[in-house]
Amino acid sequence: MDIRPGDVLEMKKEHPCGARRWEVLRVGMDFRLRCVGCGREVMLPRKKAEKALKKIILSADRAE
């Protein structure tokens, strides 16, 4: 998958705050994500994050 820092991901399940969208802060073996709703930051293993992903919402710098 082509996920880069700055992208916004929509996940299958909601965060306890009610938001489904997460901003990607760091990509590697783990993803560092920030909840768009409440600002909480979490680290997820790449495999778990890709499985929970519903769709990628491209960031402004990659939209053409």
Side-chain angles (χ1 to χ4, degrees):
M1 290 197 156
D2 187 26
I3 299 173
R4 299 181 187 171
D7 288 352
V8 177
L9 309 177
E10 185 172 330
M11 299 299 201
K12 293 177 186 174
K13 290 187 176 183
E14 291 184 349
H15 188 243
C17 74
R20 289 180 185 250
R21 294 186 177 193
W22 295 81
E23 179 185 0
V24 179
L25 302 176
R26 187 175 76 86
V27 178
M29 284 298 292
D30 296 321
F31 286 176
R32 182 167 195 92
L33 305 172
R34 178 184 297 138
C35 177
V36 173
C38 65
R40 166 80 71 183
E41 291 185 11
V42 297
M43 294 280 286
L44 283 177
R46 175 182 284 271
K47 190 172 185 173
K48 187 172 182 178
E50 288 177 350
K51 186 175 181 181
L53 181 64
K54 187 173 182 179
K55 68 180 177 180
I56 300 172
I57 302 166
L58 296 179
S59 62
D61 62 313
R62 289 192 354 190
E64 294 177 0

